[in-house]
């Protein structure tokens, strides 16, 4: 499922993306990854997360891929290195939608 940016005027997610974000955030490690990205100014090198979580690059890649598909992060690559960037607008749209429940 391709991720969509949150609509700035309404700051809401489409129903399918809302459900996908909820599913992605059901994994506690992914919530922790988002917290670490936010605490690092909204972006963090992929390699730093691998070290912080003491997991393989493949496992971190899986988590990053799921976060990217949900629209919660963007991965910016420079050569072989990648940096994960938090998409605050998508996270805020999810929280807004969730607060209506």
């Amino acid at each position: 499922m391709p991720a969509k940016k949150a609509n700035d005027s309404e700051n809401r997610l489409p129903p399918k993306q809302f459900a996908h974000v909820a599913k992605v955030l059901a994994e506690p490690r992914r919530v922790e990854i988002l917290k670490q990205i936010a605490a690092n100014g909204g972006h963090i090198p992929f390699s730093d997360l691998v070290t912080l979580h003491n997991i393989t690059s493949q496992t971190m890649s899986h988590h990053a891929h799921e976060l990217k598909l949900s629209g919660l992060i963007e991965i910016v690559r420079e050569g072989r290195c990648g940096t994960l960037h938090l998409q605050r607008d998508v996270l805020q749209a999810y929280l807004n939608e969730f607060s209506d429940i």
Side-chain angles (χ1 to χ4, degrees), residues 34-88:
L34 287 181
K35 287 179 181 179
Q36 289 165 329
I37 296 170
N40 200 53
H43 52 87
I44 193 168
F46 179 87
S47 58
D48 288 3
L49 286 169
V50 170
T51 302
L52 284 168
H53 287 267
N54 194 29
I55 58 175
T56 66
S57 292
Q58 293 82 1
T59 299
M60 183 56 72
S61 181
H62 171 72
H63 289 304
H65 179 73
E66 290 298 323
L67 288 164
K68 180 182 175 190
L69 286 178
S70 73
L72 289 168
I73 66 165
E74 180 181 353
I75 301 172
V76 177
R77 298 195 187 278
E78 289 187 29
R80 294 181 62 198
C81 301
T83 302
L84 283 63
H85 293 261
L86 179 62
Q87 299 300 296
R88 289 187 188 277

